[in-house]
Amino acid sequence: MYTKNINTHLTEIKDYFKAAISVDCVIFGFDENELKVLLIESDLKEYKGKWSLLGDIVHPDEDLETAAYRVLRERTGLDDVFMEQVQAFGALNRHPAGRVVTIAYYSLVNIQHAELKTHHNELHWHAVKDIRHMAFDHKDILDTCYQRLQHKVLDQPVGFNLLPKKFSLRDLQNLYEAILDVKLDRRNFRKKFFAMDYLIDLNEEEQDVRHRPARLYKFNQDKYNLQHKKSLGF
């Protein structure tokens, strides 16, 4: 039986560490009744003219989540937002610079609150439904995170993170239709949300709108937290 010596082990260890770890952030927003994602124009010659997700190499002194929040904060000016880790992507040739394993996160931000930080290359919001090709394997990452979001909103009311603090029922339904890519029955949709008791009627109406002003609501975060704790057995 062949037994490896210490020099063989050291050589293998050095080979194992010839890789980098990065984070890629799928930053979703909601605007003009469309689900959008924040993309940046790639500055690599291999992907000239293509768009990519926002990401970076994980620094030696930070953990994965810290790195993801850093990317989010540096580019949008936001920090305290909903963010969730999805999965790792580690295809051998996914990055032209060498072996890079990336951890994908998606976050939900209010576009009106984001202050985009542009440097040398362009940074824009793009409608998710219009994106066909991207740099690297970022289209696969985007699709995976989008599918996670679609499943998430059916289980938890995370979609409220994409809306302003005050919103109409029309805004809420438009949001869910954009995320799920389906047309929802107006009466059933409203009945379901009122039954969950997640909405607080503000006794206010929309201002400066061309259509009939709608009543405004806000998300009942305290009610949701209480119900979520009960479902966990607390």
PDB file of all heavy atoms in Angstrom, residues 165-183:
ATOM      1  N   LYS A 165     -42.071  52.774   2.514  1.00  0.00           N
ATOM      2  CA  LYS A 165     -42.757  52.517   3.788  1.00  0.00           C
ATOM      3  C   LYS A 165     -44.266  52.647   3.647  1.00  0.00           C
ATOM      4  O   LYS A 165     -45.025  51.945   4.323  1.00  0.00           O
ATOM      5  CB  LYS A 165     -42.236  53.474   4.860  1.00  0.00           C
ATOM      6  CG  LYS A 165     -40.800  53.192   5.276  1.00  0.00           C
ATOM      7  CD  LYS A 165     -40.358  54.106   6.401  1.00  0.00           C
ATOM      8  CE  LYS A 165     -38.943  53.766   6.843  1.00  0.00           C
ATOM      9  NZ  LYS A 165     -38.481  54.635   7.958  1.00  0.00           N
ATOM     10  N   LYS A 166     -44.715  53.567   2.791  1.00  0.00           N
ATOM     11  CA  LYS A 166     -46.142  53.727   2.527  1.00  0.00           C
ATOM     12  C   LYS A 166     -46.434  53.259   1.107  1.00  0.00           C
ATOM     13  O   LYS A 166     -45.754  53.676   0.170  1.00  0.00           O
ATOM     14  CB  LYS A 166     -46.560  55.195   2.683  1.00  0.00           C
ATOM     15  CG  LYS A 166     -46.351  55.761   4.079  1.00  0.00           C
ATOM     16  CD  LYS A 166     -46.782  57.236   4.127  1.00  0.00           C
ATOM     17  CE  LYS A 166     -46.557  57.834   5.506  1.00  0.00           C
ATOM     18  NZ  LYS A 166     -46.996  59.267   5.552  1.00  0.00           N
ATOM     19  N   PHE A 167     -47.431  52.403   0.959  1.00  0.00           N
ATOM     20  CA  PHE A 167     -47.733  51.840  -0.356  1.00  0.00           C
ATOM     21  C   PHE A 167     -49.221  51.537  -0.450  1.00  0.00           C
ATOM     22  O   PHE A 167     -49.933  51.428   0.560  1.00  0.00           O
ATOM     23  CB  PHE A 167     -46.922  50.560  -0.586  1.00  0.00           C
ATOM     24  CG  PHE A 167     -47.087  49.536   0.497  1.00  0.00           C
ATOM     25  CD1 PHE A 167     -48.134  48.632   0.490  1.00  0.00           C
ATOM     26  CD2 PHE A 167     -46.181  49.492   1.546  1.00  0.00           C
ATOM     27  CE1 PHE A 167     -48.294  47.705   1.496  1.00  0.00           C
ATOM     28  CE2 PHE A 167     -46.337  48.562   2.577  1.00  0.00           C
ATOM     29  CZ  PHE A 167     -47.394  47.666   2.536  1.00  0.00           C
ATOM     30  N   SER A 168     -49.695  51.414  -1.668  1.00  0.00           N
ATOM     31  CA  SER A 168     -51.095  51.052  -1.906  1.00  0.00           C
ATOM     32  C   SER A 168     -51.199  49.555  -2.157  1.00  0.00           C
ATOM     33  O   SER A 168     -50.198  48.874  -2.418  1.00  0.00           O
ATOM     34  CB  SER A 168     -51.640  51.818  -3.115  1.00  0.00           C
ATOM     35  OG  SER A 168     -51.017  51.370  -4.307  1.00  0.00           O
ATOM     36  N   LEU A 169     -52.410  49.029  -2.112  1.00  0.00           N
ATOM     37  CA  LEU A 169     -52.615  47.623  -2.429  1.00  0.00           C
ATOM     38  C   LEU A 169     -52.288  47.341  -3.891  1.00  0.00           C
ATOM     39  O   LEU A 169     -51.864  46.239  -4.246  1.00  0.00           O
ATOM     40  CB  LEU A 169     -54.060  47.218  -2.117  1.00  0.00           C
ATOM     41  CG  LEU A 169     -54.453  47.250  -0.638  1.00  0.00           C
ATOM     42  CD1 LEU A 169     -55.917  46.883  -0.469  1.00  0.00           C
ATOM     43  CD2 LEU A 169     -53.580  46.300   0.175  1.00  0.00           C
ATOM     44  N   ARG A 170     -52.479  48.347  -4.728  1.00  0.00           N
ATOM     45  CA  ARG A 170     -52.098  48.212  -6.139  1.00  0.00           C
ATOM     46  C   ARG A 170     -50.589  48.021  -6.248  1.00  0.00           C
ATOM     47  O   ARG A 170     -50.113  47.170  -7.014  1.00  0.00           O
ATOM     48  CB  ARG A 170     -52.537  49.447  -6.922  1.00  0.00           C
ATOM     49  CG  ARG A 170     -52.233  49.364  -8.422  1.00  0.00           C
ATOM     50  CD  ARG A 170     -52.488  50.677  -9.135  1.00  0.00           C
ATOM     51  NE  ARG A 170     -53.882  51.094  -9.059  1.00  0.00           N
ATOM     52  CZ  ARG A 170     -54.310  52.101  -8.304  1.00  0.00           C
ATOM     53  NH1 ARG A 170     -53.458  52.813  -7.569  1.00  0.00           N
ATOM     54  NH2 ARG A 170     -55.589  52.421  -8.282  1.00  0.00           N
ATOM     55  N   ASP A 171     -49.826  48.813  -5.506  1.00  0.00           N
ATOM     56  CA  ASP A 171     -48.369  48.674  -5.510  1.00  0.00           C
ATOM     57  C   ASP A 171     -47.964  47.275  -5.059  1.00  0.00           C
ATOM     58  O   ASP A 171     -47.070  46.650  -5.649  1.00  0.00           O
ATOM     59  CB  ASP A 171     -47.728  49.700  -4.572  1.00  0.00           C
ATOM     60  CG  ASP A 171     -47.933  51.130  -5.028  1.00  0.00           C
ATOM     61  OD1 ASP A 171     -48.052  51.349  -6.255  1.00  0.00           O
ATOM     62  OD2 ASP A 171     -47.977  52.029  -4.163  1.00  0.00           O
ATOM     63  N   LEU A 172     -48.613  46.799  -4.010  1.00  0.00           N
ATOM     64  CA  LEU A 172     -48.280  45.488  -3.457  1.00  0.00           C
ATOM     65  C   LEU A 172     -48.560  44.374  -4.464  1.00  0.00           C
ATOM     66  O   LEU A 172     -47.740  43.476  -4.655  1.00  0.00           O
ATOM     67  CB  LEU A 172     -49.072  45.256  -2.172  1.00  0.00           C
ATOM     68  CG  LEU A 172     -48.786  43.961  -1.413  1.00  0.00           C
ATOM     69  CD1 LEU A 172     -47.327  43.883  -0.988  1.00  0.00           C
ATOM     70  CD2 LEU A 172     -49.705  43.851  -0.185  1.00  0.00           C
ATOM     71  N   GLN A 173     -49.719  44.449  -5.121  1.00  0.00           N
ATOM     72  CA  GLN A 173     -50.049  43.415  -6.106  1.00  0.00           C
ATOM     73  C   GLN A 173     -49.120  43.495  -7.319  1.00  0.00           C
ATOM     74  O   GLN A 173     -48.685  42.460  -7.836  1.00  0.00           O
ATOM     75  CB  GLN A 173     -51.501  43.535  -6.549  1.00  0.00           C
ATOM     76  CG  GLN A 173     -51.900  42.434  -7.525  1.00  0.00           C
ATOM     77  CD  GLN A 173     -53.396  42.361  -7.771  1.00  0.00           C
ATOM     78  OE1 GLN A 173     -54.192  42.854  -6.973  1.00  0.00           O
ATOM     79  NE2 GLN A 173     -53.796  41.735  -8.868  1.00  0.00           N
ATOM     80  N   ASN A 174     -48.810  44.698  -7.756  1.00  0.00           N
ATOM     81  CA  ASN A 174     -47.879  44.849  -8.878  1.00  0.00           C
ATOM     82  C   ASN A 174     -46.526  44.229  -8.557  1.00  0.00           C
ATOM     83  O   ASN A 174     -45.872  43.619  -9.423  1.00  0.00           O
ATOM     84  CB  ASN A 174     -47.698  46.323  -9.229  1.00  0.00           C
ATOM     85  CG  ASN A 174     -48.917  46.917  -9.907  1.00  0.00           C
ATOM     86  OD1 ASN A 174     -49.741  46.200 -10.466  1.00  0.00           O
ATOM     87  ND2 ASN A 174     -49.041  48.229  -9.870  1.00  0.00           N
ATOM     88  N   LEU A 175     -46.092  44.384  -7.305  1.00  0.00           N
ATOM     89  CA  LEU A 175     -44.823  43.812  -6.879  1.00  0.00           C
ATOM     90  C   LEU A 175     -44.853  42.290  -6.974  1.00  0.00           C
ATOM     91  O   LEU A 175     -43.933  41.678  -7.550  1.00  0.00           O
ATOM     92  CB  LEU A 175     -44.505  44.241  -5.447  1.00  0.00           C
ATOM     93  CG  LEU A 175     -43.331  43.527  -4.788  1.00  0.00           C
ATOM     94  CD1 LEU A 175     -42.024  43.877  -5.496  1.00  0.00           C
ATOM     95  CD2 LEU A 175     -43.245  43.870  -3.308  1.00  0.00           C
ATOM     96  N   TYR A 176     -45.880  41.677  -6.421  1.00  0.00           N
ATOM     97  CA  TYR A 176     -45.958  40.216  -6.437  1.00  0.00           C
ATOM     98  C   TYR A 176     -46.118  39.678  -7.854  1.00  0.00           C
ATOM     99  O   TYR A 176     -45.559  38.622  -8.184  1.00  0.00           O
ATOM    100  CB  TYR A 176     -47.098  39.741  -5.538  1.00  0.00           C
ATOM    101  CG  TYR A 176     -46.645  39.544  -4.112  1.00  0.00           C
ATOM    102  CD1 TYR A 176     -46.422  40.644  -3.273  1.00  0.00           C
ATOM    103  CD2 TYR A 176     -46.414  38.280  -3.594  1.00  0.00           C
ATOM    104  CE1 TYR A 176     -45.988  40.476  -1.970  1.00  0.00           C
ATOM    105  CE2 TYR A 176     -45.977  38.099  -2.292  1.00  0.00           C
ATOM    106  CZ  TYR A 176     -45.767  39.195  -1.486  1.00  0.00           C
ATOM    107  OH  TYR A 176     -45.318  39.018  -0.192  1.00  0.00           O
ATOM    108  N   GLU A 177     -46.833  40.388  -8.685  1.00  0.00           N
ATOM    109  CA  GLU A 177     -46.969  39.952 -10.071  1.00  0.00           C
ATOM    110  C   GLU A 177     -45.633  40.036 -10.803  1.00  0.00           C
ATOM    111  O   GLU A 177     -45.312  39.170 -11.634  1.00  0.00           O
ATOM    112  CB  GLU A 177     -48.025  40.795 -10.782  1.00  0.00           C
ATOM    113  CG  GLU A 177     -49.450  40.490 -10.321  1.00  0.00           C
ATOM    114  CD  GLU A 177     -50.501  41.335 -11.026  1.00  0.00           C
ATOM    115  OE1 GLU A 177     -50.125  42.374 -11.617  1.00  0.00           O
ATOM    116  OE2 GLU A 177     -51.679  40.967 -10.974  1.00  0.00           O
ATOM    117  N   ALA A 178     -44.836  41.060 -10.486  1.00  0.00           N
ATOM    118  CA  ALA A 178     -43.528  41.212 -11.127  1.00  0.00           C
ATOM    119  C   ALA A 178     -42.571  40.116 -10.678  1.00  0.00           C
ATOM    120  O   ALA A 178     -41.811  39.569 -11.485  1.00  0.00           O
ATOM    121  CB  ALA A 178     -42.944  42.586 -10.803  1.00  0.00           C
ATOM    122  N   ILE A 179     -42.597  39.780  -9.394  1.00  0.00           N
ATOM    123  CA  ILE A 179     -41.700  38.751  -8.872  1.00  0.00           C
ATOM    124  C   ILE A 179     -42.097  37.369  -9.384  1.00  0.00           C
ATOM    125  O   ILE A 179     -41.252  36.586  -9.842  1.00  0.00           O
ATOM    126  CB  ILE A 179     -41.687  38.757  -7.334  1.00  0.00           C
ATOM    127  CG1 ILE A 179     -41.053  40.051  -6.810  1.00  0.00           C
ATOM    128  CG2 ILE A 179     -40.919  37.542  -6.794  1.00  0.00           C
ATOM    129  CD1 ILE A 179     -41.104  40.197  -5.300  1.00  0.00           C
ATOM    130  N   LEU A 180     -43.385  37.055  -9.309  1.00  0.00           N
ATOM    131  CA  LEU A 180     -43.857  35.720  -9.675  1.00  0.00           C
ATOM    132  C   LEU A 180     -44.090  35.559 -11.171  1.00  0.00           C
ATOM    133  O   LEU A 180     -44.292  34.435 -11.651  1.00  0.00           O
ATOM    134  CB  LEU A 180     -45.150  35.411  -8.910  1.00  0.00           C
ATOM    135  CG  LEU A 180     -45.023  35.403  -7.382  1.00  0.00           C
ATOM    136  CD1 LEU A 180     -46.390  35.222  -6.744  1.00  0.00           C
ATOM    137  CD2 LEU A 180     -44.055  34.320  -6.917  1.00  0.00           C
ATOM    138  N   ASP A 181     -44.110  36.673 -11.901  1.00  0.00           N
ATOM    139  CA  ASP A 181     -44.330  36.666 -13.347  1.00  0.00           C
ATOM    140  C   ASP A 181     -45.672  36.012 -13.692  1.00  0.00           C
ATOM    141  O   ASP A 181     -45.772  35.188 -14.603  1.00  0.00           O
ATOM    142  CB  ASP A 181     -43.192  35.942 -14.064  1.00  0.00           C
ATOM    143  CG  ASP A 181     -43.195  36.194 -15.566  1.00  0.00           C
ATOM    144  OD1 ASP A 181     -43.729  37.235 -15.986  1.00  0.00           O
ATOM    145  OD2 ASP A 181     -42.673  35.341 -16.318  1.00  0.00           O
ATOM    146  N   VAL A 182     -46.707  36.387 -12.941  1.00  0.00           N
ATOM    147  CA  VAL A 182     -48.061  35.893 -13.182  1.00  0.00           C
ATOM    148  C   VAL A 182     -49.041  37.036 -12.947  1.00  0.00           C
ATOM    149  O   VAL A 182     -48.723  38.031 -12.296  1.00  0.00           O
ATOM    150  CB  VAL A 182     -48.433  34.718 -12.256  1.00  0.00           C
ATOM    151  CG1 VAL A 182     -47.562  33.505 -12.540  1.00  0.00           C
ATOM    152  CG2 VAL A 182     -48.341  35.121 -10.793  1.00  0.00           C
ATOM    153  N   LYS A 183     -50.242  36.880 -13.477  1.00  0.00           N
ATOM    154  CA  LYS A 183     -51.318  37.837 -13.232  1.00  0.00           C
ATOM    155  C   LYS A 183     -52.173  37.289 -12.101  1.00  0.00           C
ATOM    156  O   LYS A 183     -52.652  36.154 -12.174  1.00  0.00           O
ATOM    157  CB  LYS A 183     -52.158  38.037 -14.502  1.00  0.00           C
ATOM    158  CG  LYS A 183     -53.142  39.193 -14.413  1.00  0.00           C
ATOM    159  CD  LYS A 183     -52.417  40.524 -14.352  1.00  0.00           C
ATOM    160  CE  LYS A 183     -53.405  41.688 -14.331  1.00  0.00           C
ATOM    161  NZ  LYS A 183     -52.714  42.992 -14.203  1.00  0.00           N
TER     162      LYS A 183
END
